[in-house]
Amino acid sequence: GDSVTQMEGPVTLSEEAFLTINCTYTATGYPSLFWYVQYPGEGLQLLLKATKADDKGSNKGFEATYRKETTSFHLEKGSVQVSDSAVYFCALSIIQGAQKLVFGQGTRLTINP
Amino acid sequence: GAGVSQTPSNKVTEKGKYVELRCDPISGHTALYWYRQSLGQGPEFLIYFQGTGAADDSGLPNDRFFAVRPEGSVSTLKIQRTERGDSAVYLCASSAQGSYGYTFGSGTRLTVV
């Protein structure tokens, strides 16, 4: 079945460091790919998305490129801030009627000043 | 409303009791989803509504779980004979027709004691 595997956490970085959170997927069709973020005490928010191969999603300085050849959608940011501390979830959806999302297990990111 | 509203935000119940969790989606969103997020895990799909009908309930774990959306707006997730293993955060999300990605509510944290 469809699945998403994320880099194990927790990840701790210093402010202004470069961030990569790895995400790979297995899917029978052609999924859309997403990164969701969950800030402390808040609900899940869509961070960025890509709907086809080679698309790059970007938002708030974060980027991820849909790589079909490596079945990956790694999240990157060039210079993280303390306010980026959150749990990040990679997800895919195969739109066949329902746009069901399949999530990875999440990666907790802590940024120290 | 401006976002997806879930009530209550927290619910503590005794094993064997019946609970109802409510979701009020964004006005005009025809698609509504329920997910369950256990501690340290990503959300897992439970059920999807398109309008009033449950178009996909393949994620409901057993027949103790049931959900309705009688007027195509508010939805209620119902759990009978609760068990300690039902303890989790129950998330509701809605989306507009043809859009990618959802808007999630803040969730209901259910604790079965």
Side-chain angles (χ1 to χ4, degrees):
Chain A
D2 301 333
S3 66
V4 174
T5 302
Q6 278 183 243
M7 176 176 173
E8 291 261 348
V11 174
T12 302
L13 296 172
S14 298
E15 205 165 22
E16 299 183 3
F18 182 85
L19 169 71
T20 300
I21 300 178
N22 290 338
C23 171
T24 57
Y25 67 89
T26 302
T28 52
Y30 299 96
S32 296
L33 300 173
F34 305 84
W35 278 99
Y36 278 83
V37 59
Q38 192 168 34
Y39 297 104
E42 299 185 18
L44 275 167
Q45 301 174 23
L46 177 63
L47 180 60
L48 54 83
K49 65 180 185 289
T51 58
K52 61 183 187 297
D54 300 325
D55 270 2
K56 177 186 284 189
S58 61
N59 187 25
K60 299 182 180 180
F62 290 89
E63 293 183 340
T65 301
Y66 188 142
R67 301 287 188 201
K68 186 179 176 183
E69 63 276 13
T70 55
T71 62
S72 66
F73 193 55
H74 304 320
L75 183 69
E76 297 182 335
K77 185 173 185 180
S79 177
V80 291
Q81 306 300 312
V82 172
S83 58
D84 294 326
S85 298
V87 182
Y88 292 81
F89 293 91
C90 185
L92 67 81
S93 75
I94 304 284
I95 300 178
Q96 293 175 337
Q99 190 194 148
K100 286 194 294 191
L101 286 168
V102 176
F103 285 88
Q105 78 273 26
T107 302
R108 182 176 297 278
L109 173 66
T110 301
I111 307 300
N112 294 321
Chain B
V4 177
S5 175
Q6 291 188 248
T7 54
S9 56
N10 279 284
K11 175 72 176 178
V12 180
T13 191
E14 292 181 347
K15 180 175 177 295
K17 298 289 188 183
Y18 168 84
V19 296
E20 290 189 350
L21 311 179
R22 176 189 167 105
C23 172
D24 200 341
I26 292 173
S27 179
H29 280 193
T30 56
L32 185 145
Y33 302 80
W34 284 98
Y35 283 76
R36 179 167 71 173
Q37 186 175 15
S38 300
L39 191 63
Q41 301 297 315
E44 294 179 313
F45 171 80
L46 294 177
I47 187 169
Y48 156 64
F49 288 89
Q50 181 61 44
T52 59
D56 185 343
D57 64 358
S58 61
L60 294 177
N62 52 59
D63 61 6
R64 295 186 298 106
F65 289 74
F66 189 71
V68 295
R69 194 186 185 197
E71 297 178 356
S73 178
V74 171
S75 177
T76 304
L77 178 66
K78 308 180 181 194
I79 311 174
Q80 298 177 323
R81 305 183 304 279
T82 52
E83 300 177 356
R84 293 197 179 87
D86 299 335
S87 297
V89 176
Y90 289 81
L91 297 168
C92 178
S94 68
S95 69
Q97 189 75 21
S99 69
Y100 289 95
Y102 313 150
T103 301
F104 278 90
S106 297
T108 294
R109 181 175 298 279
L110 175 67
T111 303
V112 182
V113 297

PDB file of all heavy atoms in Angstrom, chain B residues 77-113:
ATOM      1  N   LEU B  77     -18.626  12.497  14.922  1.00  0.00           N
ATOM      2  CA  LEU B  77     -17.987  11.184  15.031  1.00  0.00           C
ATOM      3  C   LEU B  77     -18.451  10.563  16.343  1.00  0.00           C
ATOM      4  O   LEU B  77     -18.348  11.191  17.393  1.00  0.00           O
ATOM      5  CB  LEU B  77     -16.466  11.311  15.008  1.00  0.00           C
ATOM      6  CG  LEU B  77     -15.663  10.022  15.159  1.00  0.00           C
ATOM      7  CD1 LEU B  77     -15.879   9.105  13.958  1.00  0.00           C
ATOM      8  CD2 LEU B  77     -14.179  10.339  15.311  1.00  0.00           C
ATOM      9  N   LYS B  78     -18.979   9.354  16.252  1.00  0.00           N
ATOM     10  CA  LYS B  78     -19.568   8.695  17.411  1.00  0.00           C
ATOM     11  C   LYS B  78     -18.771   7.431  17.734  1.00  0.00           C
ATOM     12  O   LYS B  78     -18.491   6.638  16.825  1.00  0.00           O
ATOM     13  CB  LYS B  78     -21.027   8.342  17.131  1.00  0.00           C
ATOM     14  CG  LYS B  78     -21.845   9.525  16.631  1.00  0.00           C
ATOM     15  CD  LYS B  78     -23.292   9.174  16.355  1.00  0.00           C
ATOM     16  CE  LYS B  78     -24.041  10.395  15.830  1.00  0.00           C
ATOM     17  NZ  LYS B  78     -25.506  10.207  15.857  1.00  0.00           N
ATOM     18  N   ILE B  79     -18.420   7.277  18.987  1.00  0.00           N
ATOM     19  CA  ILE B  79     -17.683   6.085  19.412  1.00  0.00           C
ATOM     20  C   ILE B  79     -18.458   5.420  20.537  1.00  0.00           C
ATOM     21  O   ILE B  79     -18.710   6.031  21.579  1.00  0.00           O
ATOM     22  CB  ILE B  79     -16.258   6.433  19.888  1.00  0.00           C
ATOM     23  CG1 ILE B  79     -15.541   7.329  18.870  1.00  0.00           C
ATOM     24  CG2 ILE B  79     -15.466   5.145  20.116  1.00  0.00           C
ATOM     25  CD1 ILE B  79     -14.186   7.829  19.332  1.00  0.00           C
ATOM     26  N   GLN B  80     -18.820   4.170  20.303  1.00  0.00           N
ATOM     27  CA  GLN B  80     -19.560   3.418  21.312  1.00  0.00           C
ATOM     28  C   GLN B  80     -18.601   2.557  22.128  1.00  0.00           C
ATOM     29  O   GLN B  80     -17.528   2.164  21.648  1.00  0.00           O
ATOM     30  CB  GLN B  80     -20.579   2.499  20.624  1.00  0.00           C
ATOM     31  CG  GLN B  80     -21.628   3.216  19.815  1.00  0.00           C
ATOM     32  CD  GLN B  80     -22.565   2.250  19.097  1.00  0.00           C
ATOM     33  OE1 GLN B  80     -22.130   1.197  18.624  1.00  0.00           O
ATOM     34  NE2 GLN B  80     -23.831   2.589  19.030  1.00  0.00           N
ATOM     35  N   ARG B  81     -18.998   2.268  23.371  1.00  0.00           N
ATOM     36  CA  ARG B  81     -18.243   1.328  24.223  1.00  0.00           C
ATOM     37  C   ARG B  81     -16.745   1.635  24.142  1.00  0.00           C
ATOM     38  O   ARG B  81     -15.927   0.779  23.779  1.00  0.00           O
ATOM     39  CB  ARG B  81     -18.526  -0.110  23.809  1.00  0.00           C
ATOM     40  CG  ARG B  81     -20.007  -0.471  23.804  1.00  0.00           C
ATOM     41  CD  ARG B  81     -20.252  -1.939  23.448  1.00  0.00           C
ATOM     42  NE  ARG B  81     -19.662  -2.325  22.178  1.00  0.00           N
ATOM     43  CZ  ARG B  81     -20.201  -2.087  20.996  1.00  0.00           C
ATOM     44  NH1 ARG B  81     -21.342  -1.432  20.894  1.00  0.00           N
ATOM     45  NH2 ARG B  81     -19.583  -2.508  19.898  1.00  0.00           N
ATOM     46  N   THR B  82     -16.387   2.870  24.485  1.00  0.00           N
ATOM     47  CA  THR B  82     -14.997   3.300  24.330  1.00  0.00           C
ATOM     48  C   THR B  82     -14.028   2.389  25.063  1.00  0.00           C
ATOM     49  O   THR B  82     -14.340   1.830  26.131  1.00  0.00           O
ATOM     50  CB  THR B  82     -14.810   4.744  24.829  1.00  0.00           C
ATOM     51  OG1 THR B  82     -15.353   4.839  26.161  1.00  0.00           O
ATOM     52  CG2 THR B  82     -15.482   5.731  23.926  1.00  0.00           C
ATOM     53  N   GLU B  83     -12.849   2.264  24.468  1.00  0.00           N
ATOM     54  CA  GLU B  83     -11.753   1.476  25.032  1.00  0.00           C
ATOM     55  C   GLU B  83     -10.554   2.388  25.231  1.00  0.00           C
ATOM     56  O   GLU B  83     -10.436   3.431  24.583  1.00  0.00           O
ATOM     57  CB  GLU B  83     -11.396   0.324  24.097  1.00  0.00           C
ATOM     58  CG  GLU B  83     -12.540  -0.622  23.840  1.00  0.00           C
ATOM     59  CD  GLU B  83     -12.199  -1.718  22.846  1.00  0.00           C
ATOM     60  OE1 GLU B  83     -11.074  -1.702  22.295  1.00  0.00           O
ATOM     61  OE2 GLU B  83     -13.057  -2.590  22.626  1.00  0.00           O
ATOM     62  N   ARG B  84      -9.636   1.975  26.120  1.00  0.00           N
ATOM     63  CA  ARG B  84      -8.464   2.808  26.399  1.00  0.00           C
ATOM     64  C   ARG B  84      -7.646   3.049  25.126  1.00  0.00           C
ATOM     65  O   ARG B  84      -7.042   4.101  24.947  1.00  0.00           O
ATOM     66  CB  ARG B  84      -7.621   2.189  27.504  1.00  0.00           C
ATOM     67  CG  ARG B  84      -8.347   2.206  28.831  1.00  0.00           C
ATOM     68  CD  ARG B  84      -7.442   1.988  30.020  1.00  0.00           C
ATOM     69  NE  ARG B  84      -8.220   2.047  31.254  1.00  0.00           N
ATOM     70  CZ  ARG B  84      -8.849   1.022  31.807  1.00  0.00           C
ATOM     71  NH1 ARG B  84      -8.768  -0.176  31.257  1.00  0.00           N
ATOM     72  NH2 ARG B  84      -9.552   1.172  32.924  1.00  0.00           N
ATOM     73  N   GLY B  85      -7.665   2.077  24.227  1.00  0.00           N
ATOM     74  CA  GLY B  85      -6.925   2.227  22.973  1.00  0.00           C
ATOM     75  C   GLY B  85      -7.516   3.255  22.012  1.00  0.00           C
ATOM     76  O   GLY B  85      -6.878   3.598  21.013  1.00  0.00           O
ATOM     77  N   ASP B  86      -8.711   3.760  22.340  1.00  0.00           N
ATOM     78  CA  ASP B  86      -9.316   4.806  21.511  1.00  0.00           C
ATOM     79  C   ASP B  86      -8.739   6.179  21.853  1.00  0.00           C
ATOM     80  O   ASP B  86      -9.011   7.160  21.149  1.00  0.00           O
ATOM     81  CB  ASP B  86     -10.832   4.849  21.711  1.00  0.00           C
ATOM     82  CG  ASP B  86     -11.520   3.557  21.313  1.00  0.00           C
ATOM     83  OD1 ASP B  86     -10.960   2.819  20.461  1.00  0.00           O
ATOM     84  OD2 ASP B  86     -12.616   3.278  21.844  1.00  0.00           O
ATOM     85  N   SER B  87      -7.970   6.270  22.922  1.00  0.00           N
ATOM     86  CA  SER B  87      -7.384   7.545  23.330  1.00  0.00           C
ATOM     87  C   SER B  87      -6.454   8.060  22.235  1.00  0.00           C
ATOM     88  O   SER B  87      -5.530   7.354  21.806  1.00  0.00           O
ATOM     89  CB  SER B  87      -6.596   7.387  24.632  1.00  0.00           C
ATOM     90  OG  SER B  87      -7.456   7.001  25.691  1.00  0.00           O
ATOM     91  N   ALA B  88      -6.733   9.274  21.771  1.00  0.00           N
ATOM     92  CA  ALA B  88      -5.979   9.875  20.666  1.00  0.00           C
ATOM     93  C   ALA B  88      -6.525  11.283  20.452  1.00  0.00           C
ATOM     94  O   ALA B  88      -7.488  11.697  21.098  1.00  0.00           O
ATOM     95  CB  ALA B  88      -6.154   9.055  19.381  1.00  0.00           C
ATOM     96  N   VAL B  89      -5.902  11.988  19.523  1.00  0.00           N
ATOM     97  CA  VAL B  89      -6.461  13.259  19.052  1.00  0.00           C
ATOM     98  C   VAL B  89      -7.226  12.971  17.776  1.00  0.00           C
ATOM     99  O   VAL B  89      -6.680  12.385  16.831  1.00  0.00           O
ATOM    100  CB  VAL B  89      -5.372  14.308  18.808  1.00  0.00           C
ATOM    101  CG1 VAL B  89      -5.985  15.578  18.230  1.00  0.00           C
ATOM    102  CG2 VAL B  89      -4.621  14.609  20.096  1.00  0.00           C
ATOM    103  N   TYR B  90      -8.483  13.353  17.747  1.00  0.00           N
ATOM    104  CA  TYR B  90      -9.321  13.151  16.578  1.00  0.00           C
ATOM    105  C   TYR B  90      -9.387  14.469  15.805  1.00  0.00           C
ATOM    106  O   TYR B  90      -9.827  15.488  16.329  1.00  0.00           O
ATOM    107  CB  TYR B  90     -10.703  12.646  16.995  1.00  0.00           C
ATOM    108  CG  TYR B  90     -10.635  11.235  17.495  1.00  0.00           C
ATOM    109  CD1 TYR B  90     -10.232  10.965  18.803  1.00  0.00           C
ATOM    110  CD2 TYR B  90     -10.891  10.160  16.653  1.00  0.00           C
ATOM    111  CE1 TYR B  90     -10.112   9.656  19.255  1.00  0.00           C
ATOM    112  CE2 TYR B  90     -10.783   8.858  17.092  1.00  0.00           C
ATOM    113  CZ  TYR B  90     -10.390   8.606  18.395  1.00  0.00           C
ATOM    114  OH  TYR B  90     -10.258   7.306  18.836  1.00  0.00           O
ATOM    115  N   LEU B  91      -8.946  14.402  14.567  1.00  0.00           N
ATOM    116  CA  LEU B  91      -8.838  15.592  13.732  1.00  0.00           C
ATOM    117  C   LEU B  91      -9.906  15.583  12.649  1.00  0.00           C
ATOM    118  O   LEU B  91     -10.176  14.548  12.046  1.00  0.00           O
ATOM    119  CB  LEU B  91      -7.467  15.639  13.050  1.00  0.00           C
ATOM    120  CG  LEU B  91      -6.251  15.753  13.958  1.00  0.00           C
ATOM    121  CD1 LEU B  91      -4.977  15.495  13.175  1.00  0.00           C
ATOM    122  CD2 LEU B  91      -6.199  17.122  14.598  1.00  0.00           C
ATOM    123  N   CYS B  92     -10.448  16.741  12.402  1.00  0.00           N
ATOM    124  CA  CYS B  92     -11.394  16.928  11.315  1.00  0.00           C
ATOM    125  C   CYS B  92     -10.767  17.906  10.324  1.00  0.00           C
ATOM    126  O   CYS B  92     -10.011  18.804  10.716  1.00  0.00           O
ATOM    127  CB  CYS B  92     -12.697  17.492  11.854  1.00  0.00           C
ATOM    128  SG  CYS B  92     -13.948  17.829  10.607  1.00  0.00           S
ATOM    129  N   ALA B  93     -11.052  17.719   9.062  1.00  0.00           N
ATOM    130  CA  ALA B  93     -10.544  18.620   8.035  1.00  0.00           C
ATOM    131  C   ALA B  93     -11.601  18.789   6.956  1.00  0.00           C
ATOM    132  O   ALA B  93     -12.447  17.913   6.766  1.00  0.00           O
ATOM    133  CB  ALA B  93      -9.260  18.073   7.426  1.00  0.00           C
ATOM    134  N   SER B  94     -11.551  19.918   6.268  1.00  0.00           N
ATOM    135  CA  SER B  94     -12.461  20.115   5.151  1.00  0.00           C
ATOM    136  C   SER B  94     -11.706  20.715   3.979  1.00  0.00           C
ATOM    137  O   SER B  94     -10.634  21.307   4.147  1.00  0.00           O
ATOM    138  CB  SER B  94     -13.639  21.008   5.554  1.00  0.00           C
ATOM    139  OG  SER B  94     -13.242  22.340   5.805  1.00  0.00           O
ATOM    140  N   SER B  95     -12.269  20.523   2.810  1.00  0.00           N
ATOM    141  CA  SER B  95     -11.655  21.094   1.612  1.00  0.00           C
ATOM    142  C   SER B  95     -12.738  21.449   0.611  1.00  0.00           C
ATOM    143  O   SER B  95     -13.830  20.866   0.601  1.00  0.00           O
ATOM    144  CB  SER B  95     -10.645  20.133   0.987  1.00  0.00           C
ATOM    145  OG  SER B  95     -11.288  19.010   0.439  1.00  0.00           O
ATOM    146  N   ALA B  96     -12.402  22.409  -0.237  1.00  0.00           N
ATOM    147  CA  ALA B  96     -13.313  22.811  -1.304  1.00  0.00           C
ATOM    148  C   ALA B  96     -13.142  21.886  -2.496  1.00  0.00           C
ATOM    149  O   ALA B  96     -12.090  21.268  -2.666  1.00  0.00           O
ATOM    150  CB  ALA B  96     -13.040  24.254  -1.708  1.00  0.00           C
ATOM    151  N   GLN B  97     -14.155  21.780  -3.301  1.00  0.00           N
ATOM    152  CA  GLN B  97     -14.108  20.923  -4.474  1.00  0.00           C
ATOM    153  C   GLN B  97     -12.936  21.300  -5.361  1.00  0.00           C
ATOM    154  O   GLN B  97     -12.758  22.464  -5.706  1.00  0.00           O
ATOM    155  CB  GLN B  97     -15.418  21.070  -5.264  1.00  0.00           C
ATOM    156  CG  GLN B  97     -15.599  20.086  -6.395  1.00  0.00           C
ATOM    157  CD  GLN B  97     -15.968  18.698  -5.892  1.00  0.00           C
ATOM    158  OE1 GLN B  97     -16.450  18.553  -4.783  1.00  0.00           O
ATOM    159  NE2 GLN B  97     -15.738  17.687  -6.705  1.00  0.00           N
ATOM    160  N   GLY B  98     -12.106  20.288  -5.720  1.00  0.00           N
ATOM    161  CA  GLY B  98     -11.015  20.526  -6.654  1.00  0.00           C
ATOM    162  C   GLY B  98      -9.761  21.119  -6.074  1.00  0.00           C
ATOM    163  O   GLY B  98      -8.793  21.330  -6.798  1.00  0.00           O
ATOM    164  N   SER B  99      -9.735  21.382  -4.793  1.00  0.00           N
ATOM    165  CA  SER B  99      -8.530  21.982  -4.212  1.00  0.00           C
ATOM    166  C   SER B  99      -7.603  20.889  -3.694  1.00  0.00           C
ATOM    167  O   SER B  99      -8.044  19.784  -3.395  1.00  0.00           O
ATOM    168  CB  SER B  99      -8.886  22.937  -3.073  1.00  0.00           C
ATOM    169  OG  SER B  99      -9.391  22.219  -1.979  1.00  0.00           O
ATOM    170  N   TYR B 100      -6.312  21.225  -3.588  1.00  0.00           N
ATOM    171  CA  TYR B 100      -5.342  20.303  -3.029  1.00  0.00           C
ATOM    172  C   TYR B 100      -5.043  20.702  -1.599  1.00  0.00           C
ATOM    173  O   TYR B 100      -4.820  21.864  -1.308  1.00  0.00           O
ATOM    174  CB  TYR B 100      -4.039  20.354  -3.838  1.00  0.00           C
ATOM    175  CG  TYR B 100      -4.156  19.739  -5.202  1.00  0.00           C
ATOM    176  CD1 TYR B 100      -4.425  20.515  -6.317  1.00  0.00           C
ATOM    177  CD2 TYR B 100      -3.981  18.373  -5.375  1.00  0.00           C
ATOM    178  CE1 TYR B 100      -4.529  19.942  -7.568  1.00  0.00           C
ATOM    179  CE2 TYR B 100      -4.091  17.798  -6.631  1.00  0.00           C
ATOM    180  CZ  TYR B 100      -4.362  18.578  -7.714  1.00  0.00           C
ATOM    181  OH  TYR B 100      -4.465  18.010  -8.961  1.00  0.00           O
ATOM    182  N   GLY B 101      -5.007  19.707  -0.735  1.00  0.00           N
ATOM    183  CA  GLY B 101      -4.716  20.008   0.659  1.00  0.00           C
ATOM    184  C   GLY B 101      -5.971  20.405   1.409  1.00  0.00           C
ATOM    185  O   GLY B 101      -6.961  20.830   0.816  1.00  0.00           O
ATOM    186  N   TYR B 102      -5.916  20.199   2.703  1.00  0.00           N
ATOM    187  CA  TYR B 102      -7.086  20.474   3.533  1.00  0.00           C
ATOM    188  C   TYR B 102      -6.812  21.628   4.474  1.00  0.00           C
ATOM    189  O   TYR B 102      -5.677  22.017   4.694  1.00  0.00           O
ATOM    190  CB  TYR B 102      -7.393  19.324   4.498  1.00  0.00           C
ATOM    191  CG  TYR B 102      -7.419  17.933   4.025  1.00  0.00           C
ATOM    192  CD1 TYR B 102      -7.066  16.925   4.916  1.00  0.00           C
ATOM    193  CD2 TYR B 102      -7.813  17.577   2.750  1.00  0.00           C
ATOM    194  CE1 TYR B 102      -7.112  15.615   4.555  1.00  0.00           C
ATOM    195  CE2 TYR B 102      -7.854  16.259   2.374  1.00  0.00           C
ATOM    196  CZ  TYR B 102      -7.503  15.275   3.286  1.00  0.00           C
ATOM    197  OH  TYR B 102      -7.549  13.962   2.929  1.00  0.00           O
ATOM    198  N   THR B 103      -7.884  22.058   5.168  1.00  0.00           N
ATOM    199  CA  THR B 103      -7.768  22.864   6.372  1.00  0.00           C
ATOM    200  C   THR B 103      -8.183  21.992   7.544  1.00  0.00           C
ATOM    201  O   THR B 103      -9.305  21.487   7.572  1.00  0.00           O
ATOM    202  CB  THR B 103      -8.660  24.109   6.291  1.00  0.00           C
ATOM    203  OG1 THR B 103      -8.278  24.887   5.161  1.00  0.00           O
ATOM    204  CG2 THR B 103      -8.504  24.936   7.547  1.00  0.00           C
ATOM    205  N   PHE B 104      -7.262  21.815   8.465  1.00  0.00           N
ATOM    206  CA  PHE B 104      -7.542  20.990   9.644  1.00  0.00           C
ATOM    207  C   PHE B 104      -8.080  21.837  10.788  1.00  0.00           C
ATOM    208  O   PHE B 104      -7.711  23.003  10.939  1.00  0.00           O
ATOM    209  CB  PHE B 104      -6.270  20.299  10.136  1.00  0.00           C
ATOM    210  CG  PHE B 104      -5.920  19.048   9.388  1.00  0.00           C
ATOM    211  CD1 PHE B 104      -5.100  19.109   8.270  1.00  0.00           C
ATOM    212  CD2 PHE B 104      -6.395  17.814   9.792  1.00  0.00           C
ATOM    213  CE1 PHE B 104      -4.769  17.950   7.576  1.00  0.00           C
ATOM    214  CE2 PHE B 104      -6.068  16.663   9.102  1.00  0.00           C
ATOM    215  CZ  PHE B 104      -5.260  16.731   7.988  1.00  0.00           C
ATOM    216  N   GLY B 105      -8.911  21.213  11.625  1.00  0.00           N
ATOM    217  CA  GLY B 105      -9.267  21.785  12.907  1.00  0.00           C
ATOM    218  C   GLY B 105      -8.172  21.495  13.920  1.00  0.00           C
ATOM    219  O   GLY B 105      -7.199  20.798  13.630  1.00  0.00           O
ATOM    220  N   SER B 106      -8.345  22.049  15.108  1.00  0.00           N
ATOM    221  CA  SER B 106      -7.340  21.864  16.173  1.00  0.00           C
ATOM    222  C   SER B 106      -7.445  20.521  16.861  1.00  0.00           C
ATOM    223  O   SER B 106      -6.581  20.151  17.637  1.00  0.00           O
ATOM    224  CB  SER B 106      -7.465  22.979  17.206  1.00  0.00           C
ATOM    225  OG  SER B 106      -7.184  24.220  16.600  1.00  0.00           O
ATOM    226  N   GLY B 107      -8.533  19.804  16.593  1.00  0.00           N
ATOM    227  CA  GLY B 107      -8.650  18.457  17.116  1.00  0.00           C
ATOM    228  C   GLY B 107      -9.375  18.365  18.447  1.00  0.00           C
ATOM    229  O   GLY B 107      -9.519  19.351  19.172  1.00  0.00           O
ATOM    230  N   THR B 108      -9.848  17.166  18.731  1.00  0.00           N
ATOM    231  CA  THR B 108     -10.400  16.822  20.043  1.00  0.00           C
ATOM    232  C   THR B 108      -9.497  15.754  20.650  1.00  0.00           C
ATOM    233  O   THR B 108      -9.298  14.696  20.046  1.00  0.00           O
ATOM    234  CB  THR B 108     -11.827  16.263  19.945  1.00  0.00           C
ATOM    235  OG1 THR B 108     -12.709  17.282  19.483  1.00  0.00           O
ATOM    236  CG2 THR B 108     -12.299  15.749  21.304  1.00  0.00           C
ATOM    237  N   ARG B 109      -8.953  16.078  21.818  1.00  0.00           N
ATOM    238  CA  ARG B 109      -8.116  15.082  22.511  1.00  0.00           C
ATOM    239  C   ARG B 109      -9.028  14.222  23.370  1.00  0.00           C
ATOM    240  O   ARG B 109      -9.643  14.713  24.321  1.00  0.00           O
ATOM    241  CB  ARG B 109      -7.066  15.770  23.381  1.00  0.00           C
ATOM    242  CG  ARG B 109      -6.150  14.772  24.103  1.00  0.00           C
ATOM    243  CD  ARG B 109      -5.053  15.492  24.863  1.00  0.00           C
ATOM    244  NE  ARG B 109      -4.189  16.262  23.982  1.00  0.00           N
ATOM    245  CZ  ARG B 109      -3.185  15.770  23.271  1.00  0.00           C
ATOM    246  NH1 ARG B 109      -2.898  14.478  23.359  1.00  0.00           N
ATOM    247  NH2 ARG B 109      -2.449  16.559  22.529  1.00  0.00           N
ATOM    248  N   LEU B 110      -9.141  12.952  23.001  1.00  0.00           N
ATOM    249  CA  LEU B 110      -9.988  12.006  23.733  1.00  0.00           C
ATOM    250  C   LEU B 110      -9.109  11.147  24.627  1.00  0.00           C
ATOM    251  O   LEU B 110      -8.142  10.537  24.157  1.00  0.00           O
ATOM    252  CB  LEU B 110     -10.773  11.123  22.770  1.00  0.00           C
ATOM    253  CG  LEU B 110     -11.614  10.020  23.406  1.00  0.00           C
ATOM    254  CD1 LEU B 110     -12.762  10.623  24.222  1.00  0.00           C
ATOM    255  CD2 LEU B 110     -12.151   9.070  22.354  1.00  0.00           C
ATOM    256  N   THR B 111      -9.464  11.108  25.902  1.00  0.00           N
ATOM    257  CA  THR B 111      -8.764  10.246  26.855  1.00  0.00           C
ATOM    258  C   THR B 111      -9.787   9.309  27.474  1.00  0.00           C
ATOM    259  O   THR B 111     -10.783   9.770  28.060  1.00  0.00           O
ATOM    260  CB  THR B 111      -8.083  11.067  27.957  1.00  0.00           C
ATOM    261  OG1 THR B 111      -7.189  12.008  27.343  1.00  0.00           O
ATOM    262  CG2 THR B 111      -7.291  10.162  28.892  1.00  0.00           C
ATOM    263  N   VAL B 112      -9.553   8.023  27.326  1.00  0.00           N
ATOM    264  CA  VAL B 112     -10.436   7.010  27.903  1.00  0.00           C
ATOM    265  C   VAL B 112      -9.726   6.420  29.124  1.00  0.00           C
ATOM    266  O   VAL B 112      -8.623   5.878  29.007  1.00  0.00           O
ATOM    267  CB  VAL B 112     -10.785   5.913  26.886  1.00  0.00           C
ATOM    268  CG1 VAL B 112     -11.731   4.900  27.506  1.00  0.00           C
ATOM    269  CG2 VAL B 112     -11.383   6.517  25.634  1.00  0.00           C
ATOM    270  N   VAL B 113     -10.364   6.554  30.276  1.00  0.00           N
ATOM    271  CA  VAL B 113      -9.718   6.097  31.528  1.00  0.00           C
ATOM    272  C   VAL B 113     -10.428   4.866  32.108  1.00  0.00           C
ATOM    273  O   VAL B 113     -11.533   4.532  31.684  1.00  0.00           O
ATOM    274  CB  VAL B 113      -9.677   7.219  32.575  1.00  0.00           C
ATOM    275  CG1 VAL B 113      -8.834   8.380  32.065  1.00  0.00           C
ATOM    276  CG2 VAL B 113     -11.096   7.679  32.931  1.00  0.00           C
TER     277      VAL B 113
END
